[in-house]
Amino acid sequence: MPELLPFRIHFEDPEIPPIDLDASGAENARQLAASRRCVPAGAIRKVKIIREIPGSEAAA
């Protein structure tokens, strides 16, 4: 089973909030986000891998 990565998807319409989800790749994340927000894939502006989890701090 492929490793899942955390993605944040941004949409062209500012009324649609970004969605965070786990997917095996960018194209898969795009398809999941489009289906969850009930929009066509063309309505997605940006697909980004989340490098840091908010609220987590590196141990020093």
Side-chain angles (χ1 to χ4, degrees):
M1 182 171 174
E3 182 180 343
L4 297 179
L5 300 170
F7 286 91
R8 176 163 295 139
I9 315 299
H10 297 267
F11 298 88
E12 293 288 348
D13 184 348
E15 296 291 316
I16 302 174
I19 185 174
D20 292 348
L21 49 82
D22 294 331
S24 58
E27 187 56 37
N28 184 256
R30 179 180 295 275
Q31 292 173 359
L32 284 170
S35 66
R36 289 186 185 176
R37 291 289 195 241
C38 299
V39 298
I44 294 173
R45 180 172 53 94
K46 185 173 17 175
V47 177
K48 295 174 65 175
I49 293 178
I50 301 172
R51 297 286 181 197
E52 291 185 17
I53 306 299
S56 68
E57 298 178 13

